[in-house]
Amino acid sequence: MHNAPAPLNNLRVLDLATLFAGPLAATMLGDFGAEVIKVEHPRRPDPSRGHGPAKDGVGLWWKLLGRNKRTVTLDLSTEGGRATLLRLAATADVVIENFRPGTLERWGLGWDELSAANERLVLARVTGFGQFGPYSHRPGFGTLAEAMSGFAAITGEPEGPPTLPPFGLADSIAGLATAYAIMTALAARTATGRGQVVDMAIIEPILTVLGPQPLWYDQLGFVQPRTGNRSTNNAPRNTYRTADDRWVAVSTSAQSIAERVLHLVGRPDLIDEPWFATGVDRAAHADVLDAAVGDWIAERTRDEVIAAFEKAEAAIAPIHDVRDVLADPQYAALDTVTTVDDPELGAIRMQNVLFRLSSTPGAIRWAGRAHGADTDTVLTELGLGDEEIADLRKAGAV
């Protein structure tokens, strides 16, 4: 049992953002104790509530993205919504928004107004292209970042088209980067006593995780090609079909692992080839190595292959779909997918908090709540009376 308070329990975060990077950053903070207040338009809820499959009319993506958040409604374009948001900002540590540049300013809620209300506030601005530059006013989505960053260009088969990921990759990377940026800004506030603006462009974090491509091009003129499941840095590295029509992935980033794999599949003669000594040279002979490994794997079931690789201390993993993930004993041991009690859907399973802390762990306190469920409570805590709240509601501000 951990009795220590959650590490971020003194943090108040206003999540004004939608789909998906900004809200994910707020979720990460909420998982470790931050009080997150999700601010949605009274008549246009966060689109993630209707994104993807639903059960009994309840959007499942929102249950994940909206966890550990209290939900209030405010129309920020109204005077009542603006004034209420400024009152909330005066009590907050962080505001996260992803409107197009200039939108908050048009509503009288730009950095000048927010920092005047609270000089310790950190404003995280998450947009497709950043707050300035020739593309800054374009609508920005993760797909565009996956295209522009070079990710799509290197993904797919050599003779096939550039390939986009079937999930929100760039948004998710930007969400994690935003949470890190916010914590960095809060650390700086400890020294300076003042908040600042975080300018997060979704096109940038994905470029960072793609590795040294700009450096390779700058110094060598090298442009990374599409190689399918192969790598230009080592081989054998691929996916292979087993005798029982399952798939496994093999990696040999380390020379010693590559040698163990070739011993295992009965081709130690290849280890003596001059080209086997480096990963790049092995990659140039991927056809030979894939044939050796693939033929051996094709004669055995997935369980037999994995057991043999484990005994040989060679690197392998099964290709899981979500059904396999939920049944995998390693994920089960880590409680990576945990069960949450939800008043709308009952027991539901979702990804647990992102990492484990030994003394002050995070927790999922509740899944995504109904639209505006906490509006009256939060506004009452802010000092608004019943009549003021009723007037705001009458004016369409909440």
Side-chain angles (χ1 to χ4, degrees), residues 52 88 123 161 180 330:
L88 275 172
L123 174 62
Y180 166 60
Q330 182 62 34

Side-chain angles (χ1 to χ4, degrees), residues 63-398:
K63 287 295 177 185
L64 176 68
L65 194 63
R67 73 188 190 195
N68 293 334
K69 299 179 183 181
R70 303 165 81 191
T71 60
V72 306
T73 59
L74 285 178
D75 183 346
L76 302 182
S77 68
T78 66
E79 181 51 40
R82 173 187 179 275
T84 305
L85 193 280
L86 285 173
R87 288 181 67 168
L88 275 172
T91 72
D93 299 281
V94 179
V95 171
I96 303 173
E97 64 97 2
N98 71 334
F99 301 105
R100 285 198 214 181
T103 302
L104 281 186
E105 285 75 10
R106 191 169 69 248
W107 294 336
L109 290 170
W111 175 239
D112 289 345
E113 292 86 355
L114 289 170
S115 60
N118 180 358
E119 67 175 11
R120 293 176 57 79
L121 190 71
V122 170
L123 174 62
R125 317 196 77 166
V126 186
T127 56
F129 302 103
Q131 294 295 309
F132 56 91
Y135 303 164
S136 60
H137 288 277
R138 292 183 183 178
F141 298 98
T143 297
L144 309 186
E146 289 145 13
M148 283 183 60
S149 63
F151 172 86
I154 64 169
T155 304
E157 294 300 322
E159 304 304 320
T163 302
L164 296 166
F167 67 102
L169 177 63
D171 273 315
S172 298
I173 296 170
L176 298 175
T178 301
Y180 166 60
I182 288 168
M183 296 309 298
T184 302
L186 290 171
R189 186 182 73 174
T190 301
T192 66
R194 299 187 64 88
Q196 60 183 299
V197 177
V198 171
D199 179 4
M200 178 61 67
I202 296 172
I203 60 171
E204 291 184 301
I206 187 172
L207 185 58
T208 295
V209 303
L210 283 172
Q213 288 191 41
L215 184 58
W216 286 339
Y217 181 74
D218 176 63
Q219 294 297 303
L220 302 171
F222 174 73
V223 178
Q224 184 174 337
R226 285 193 291 284
T227 56
N229 289 321
R230 289 178 171 177
S231 168
T232 56
N233 301 312
N234 65 81
R237 192 265 197 182
N238 213 326
T239 60
Y240 306 92
R241 192 195 298 264
T242 63
D244 52 348
D245 203 28
R246 309 294 291 275
W247 290 85
V248 295
V250 172
S251 175
T252 57
S253 295
Q255 182 72 19
S256 59
I257 297 292
E259 293 175 7
R260 289 174 199 163
V261 170
L262 270 295
H263 278 292
L264 174 64
V265 302
R267 293 299 307 274
D269 57 296
L270 294 176
I271 298 172
D272 296 327
E273 293 286 347
W275 49 260
F276 197 87
T278 70
V280 172
D281 287 339
R282 292 200 312 274
H285 294 80
D287 286 344
V288 174
L289 294 170
D290 274 345
V293 175
D295 290 350
W296 185 90
I297 287 175
E299 295 173 353
R300 293 160 176 83
T301 67
R302 187 184 73 170
D303 289 348
E304 290 170 341
V305 170
I306 291 175
F309 267 72
E310 285 192 351
K311 186 176 180 180
E313 297 184 355
I316 193 169
I319 303 291
H320 278 347
D321 65 19
V322 67
R323 294 166 295 187
D324 302 312
V325 169
L326 293 176
D328 188 284
Q330 182 62 34
Y331 280 131
L334 297 174
D335 196 28
T336 305
V337 179
T338 196
T339 300
V340 179
D341 289 325
D342 181 71
E344 291 183 289
L345 298 176
I348 58 177
R349 288 190 287 178
M350 65 174 65
Q351 296 95 319
N352 209 337
V353 299
L354 191 60
F355 48 85
R356 285 163 292 282
L357 295 179
S358 61
S359 298
T360 56
I364 302 171
R365 303 184 296 282
W366 61 82
R369 290 168 57 73
H371 180 231
D374 304 291
T375 300
D376 286 8
T377 302
V378 170
L379 296 185
T380 299
E381 293 171 356
L382 198 58
L384 277 69
D386 292 344
E387 191 173 324
E388 290 177 280
I389 296 172
D391 287 345
L392 287 171
R393 189 161 277 120
K394 186 177 179 181
V398 302

